[in-house]
């Protein structure tokens, strides 16, 4: 039966390979657009005595072909002198029949005509003044349409940033999303029209919509049919703490390894630093083979061969049932849990829970066990990628359900596989075992490492030390950086299998090594990362970890010889 399931597993893997084709095509990086923030650019242009178009031309010579126009507030028009703002009490003192407690605007006629239709508020005209019962200075108030048309006429890639507001009218006749826009980047923390008027807002949007890295915007998924472009930017306060070269490296990484096609830039206070940023960024994109251009939303249609991956996952589940104590019961519970918890992602989740375990179920024949564990993990990664790759998961709109479980369940199943058939005798032996201080220390270290792997995910975790962040950056520049959990896990295999540990110590080391193997599937579950990047990250981690582990074996053997004479 085992041979049949293994044959079925490898046949399913061969049939699943063609299903990776659409994913690999959708993963291709670029073309990317460099977008300069229009507000920051406008401020810089005024400081230099330029107009916006002159500043754009200057940046075009440095490689920037795009500009993003944030929607203005009424206060911005007042500050620019296009509108005058008075309270009703002030106008009343001037002899006009204005209402106390109201707020009035006067200025350019085209803008007042738009504002008169812009809000679901009572309004009145008092001569040239337009009045509202609320203070509207902080209300959204369209764009400098002349500047947008000039930029579009010069061939720049134009993005606009509309603001959601509960009192604004979503009228197609209003330039909330000007027709010149090539992309829409929602300002603030929610999509236009959220929560109750998304259908009205969709009618206004004709261009692809940006998904901003690190900024969840409720309602964004409603605009999927318009096309989604991933966008990366640096918070300006953080950018100022980085050198131009460090900032450029982060932009290049986003385009190369996370599928970002809109790179949103803000100039440094000193133009020399901005020039360094752009020079380094362009060199990095060129070295990575990522072209500049007009980005298009990725197209992805799942392959019909993806059904073969389900066969592979079920074959892997069958192998798990044969290798674990009470295996059929465990396998059945895993299947029911995956389908009930993850629904349509059940097959993908099942792959992450099963395949990191399979390599540990065979004989402990030295480094063949490591190679077997890596091979099964890569097969699981193939099935996971085929079953989990969907348009919304590739864009990051729908995160993988069960990310934490991928790091928790497989090591526990590996530990479960170490149980003896005579469970009662094993429990009694463990109960009567005299506890030594060294053993207690090793158990505490193991539990601490398990907690560390589960709690610290990503650069923002507060327990990631500064030295590790710097090491990550250095590795990132030299290669596709492996995950430290994987390097650590692979390094433990030689230490566990090539040294004469007692059985319980070897089991403990293999349990920790299972964390690294489980992390492989966790890596591939981040579907917005290109498949080949995840593959290179995994292989780099395996080779680096194995090398460190073999070095550790040499050092431990020498230490033992010195200690025992």
């Amino acid at each position: 039966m085992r041979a049949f399931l293994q044959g079925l597993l490898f046949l399913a893997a061969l049939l699943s390979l063609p299903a990776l084709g659409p994913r690999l095509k959708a993963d291709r990086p670029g073309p990317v657009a460099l977008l300069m923030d229009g507000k920051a650019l406008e401020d810089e242009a005024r400081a230099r005595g330029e107009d916006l178009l002159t500043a754009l031309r200057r940046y075009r010579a440095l490689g920037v072909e795009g500009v993003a126009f944030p929607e203005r507030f009424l206060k911005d028009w007042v500050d620019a002198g296009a509108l005058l703002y008075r309270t009703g009490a002030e106008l009343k003192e001037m002899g006009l029949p204005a209402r106390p407690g109201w707020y009035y605007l006067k200025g350019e006629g085209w803008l007042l005509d738009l504002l008169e239709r812009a809000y679901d508020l009572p309004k009145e005209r008092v001569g040239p003044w337009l009045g509202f019962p609320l203070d509207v200075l902080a209300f959204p108030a369209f764009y400098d349409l002349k500047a947008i048309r000039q930029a579009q006429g010069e061939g720049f890639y134009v993005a606009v940033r509309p603001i959601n507001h509960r009192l604004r009218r979503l009228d197609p006749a209003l330039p909330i999303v000007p027709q010149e826009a090539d992309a829409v980047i929602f300002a603030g923390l929610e999509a236009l029209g959220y929560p109750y008027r998304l259908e009205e807002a969709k009618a206004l949007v004709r261009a692809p919509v940006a998904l901003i890295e690190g900024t969840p915007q409720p309602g964004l998924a409603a605009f999927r049919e318009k096309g989604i472009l991933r966008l990366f930017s640096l918070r300006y306060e953080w950018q100022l703490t980085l050198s131009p070269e460090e900032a450029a490296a982060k932009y290049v990484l986003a385009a190369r390894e996370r599928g970002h096609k809109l790179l949103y830039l803000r100039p440094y206070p000193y133009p020399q630093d901005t020039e360094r940023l752009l020079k380094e960024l362009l060199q990095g994109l060129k070295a990575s083979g990522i072209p500049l251009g007009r980005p298009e939303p990725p197209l992805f249609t799942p392959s019909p061969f993806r059904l073969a991956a389900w066969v592979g996952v079920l074959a892997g589940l069958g192998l798990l049932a044969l290798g674990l104590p009470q295996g059929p019961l465990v396998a059945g519970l895993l299947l029911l849990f995956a389908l009930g918890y993850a629904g349509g992602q059940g097959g993908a989740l099942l792959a992450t829970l099963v395949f990191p375990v399979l390599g540990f179920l065979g004989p402990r024949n030295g480094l063949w066990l490591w190679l077997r564990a890596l091979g099964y993990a890569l097969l699981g990664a193939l099935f996971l990628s085929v079953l989990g790759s969907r348009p919304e998961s590739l864009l990051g709109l729908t995160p993988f359900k069960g990310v934490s479980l991928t790091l928790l369940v497989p090591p526990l199943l590996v530990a479960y596989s170490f149980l003896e058939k005579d469970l009662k005798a094993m429990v009694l032996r463990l109960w009567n075992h005299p506890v030594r201080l060294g053993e207690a220390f090793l158990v505490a270290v193991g539990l601490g490492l398990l907690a560390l792997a589960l709690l610290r995910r990503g650069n923002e975790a507060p327990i990631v030390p500064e030295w590790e962040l710097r090491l990550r950056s250095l590795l990132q520049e030299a290669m596709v950086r492996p995950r430290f959990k994987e390097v650590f896990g692979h390094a433990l295999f030689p230490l566990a299998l090539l040294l004469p540990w007692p059985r319980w110590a070897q089991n403990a080391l293999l349990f920790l090594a299972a964390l690294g193997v489980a992390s492989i599937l966790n890596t591939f579950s981040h579907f917005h990362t290109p498949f080949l990047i995840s593959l290179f990250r995994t292989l780099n981690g395996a080779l680096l970890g194995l090398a460190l582990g073999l070095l550790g074996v040499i050092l431990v053997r020498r230490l033992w010889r010195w200690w025992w004479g």
Side-chain angles (χ1 to χ4, degrees), residues 367-396:
L367 289 182
W368 285 109
L369 191 156
W370 167 77
L371 192 60
R372 189 169 66 238
L374 177 61
Y376 274 118
L378 290 175
L379 283 176
L382 170 63
F383 299 138
L384 165 68
S385 299
V386 169
L387 292 174
S389 296
R390 297 181 295 175
E392 55 270 25
S393 63
L394 296 186
L395 291 167

Side-chain angles (χ1 to χ4, degrees), residues 3 34 136 143 148 161 175 197 289 294 325-326 336 427 444 448 471 489:
L34 306 186
V136 292
Y143 313 84
I148 288 179
R161 306 202 61 189
R197 298 187 295 164
R294 303 179 76 82
Q326 303 296 319
L336 292 175
V427 171
L471 181 57

Side-chain angles (χ1 to χ4, degrees), residues 267-509:
Y268 277 90
Y270 295 98
Q272 296 90 337
D273 289 336
T274 307
E275 291 177 15
R276 286 167 54 196
L277 167 67
L278 293 172
K279 180 181 178 181
E280 194 73 19
L281 175 53
L282 292 174
Q283 288 178 349
L285 292 175
K286 183 178 180 180
S288 301
I290 302 173
L292 297 176
R294 303 179 76 82
E296 295 291 337
L299 299 177
F300 177 78
T301 302
S303 167
F305 286 98
R306 67 195 303 269
L307 296 177
W310 253 114
V311 177
V313 171
L314 293 177
L317 189 65
L319 289 172
L320 188 77
L322 294 177
L324 285 179
Q326 303 296 319
L329 175 61
V330 174
L333 291 175
L334 280 178
L335 178 63
L336 292 175
F337 171 76
L339 294 176
Y341 180 74
Q345 293 184 339
L349 177 59
L350 197 59
T352 67
L353 303 182
V354 169
F355 282 86
V357 184
L358 296 181
F360 293 86
L361 301 183
R364 298 188 182 182
N365 47 356
L367 289 182
W368 285 109
L369 191 156
W370 167 77
L371 192 60
R372 189 169 66 238
L374 177 61
Y376 274 118
L378 290 175
L379 283 176
L382 170 63
F383 299 138
L384 165 68
S385 299
V386 169
L387 292 174
S389 296
R390 297 181 295 175
E392 55 270 25
S393 63
L394 296 186
L395 291 167
L397 284 172
T398 305
F400 181 66
K401 196 168 184 180
V403 172
S404 296
L405 294 174
T406 64
L407 293 175
L408 176 63
V409 174
L412 292 178
L413 289 175
V414 169
Y416 177 67
S417 72
F418 298 155
L419 296 179
E420 300 174 6
K421 290 184 178 180
D422 190 347
L423 188 60
K424 180 180 178 181
M426 187 190 72
V427 171
L428 287 173
R429 189 167 63 253
L430 288 174
W431 183 262
N432 293 320
H433 179 75
V435 178
R436 297 179 176 88
L437 184 60
E439 294 174 350
F441 174 75
L442 290 177
V443 169
V445 169
L447 292 175
L449 291 172
L450 176 62
L452 192 65
L454 294 174
L455 294 176
R456 39 152 274 157
R457 295 197 305 271
N459 292 353
E460 302 302 320
I463 52 177
V464 179
E466 181 66 24
W467 65 264
E468 183 178 334
L469 294 177
R470 293 185 180 277
L471 181 57
R472 289 184 185 187
S473 297
L474 291 173
L475 288 174
Q476 212 118 252
E477 294 173 7
M479 63 173 78
V480 178
R481 178 183 63 80
R483 302 179 78 184
F484 284 0
K485 286 189 286 290
E486 293 176 31
V487 174
F488 171 76
H490 290 297
L492 286 176
F493 277 99
L495 291 169
L497 299 169
L498 301 182
L499 294 172
W501 301 101
R503 186 73 173 186
W504 69 266
Q506 187 182 64
N507 286 347
L509 289 171

Side-chain angles (χ1 to χ4, degrees), residues 83-117:
L83 293 175
L84 290 175
Y85 169 83
R86 296 289 184 270
T87 65
E90 289 175 308
L91 292 187
K92 199 168 183 64
E93 283 189 6
M94 295 165 57
L96 295 175
R99 302 188 191 188
W102 279 48
Y103 302 86
Y104 293 83
L105 301 162
K106 181 177 76 169
E108 297 189 14
W110 68 271
L111 184 55
L112 284 179
D113 289 341
L114 289 175
L115 295 176
E116 192 168 11
R117 296 178 284 132

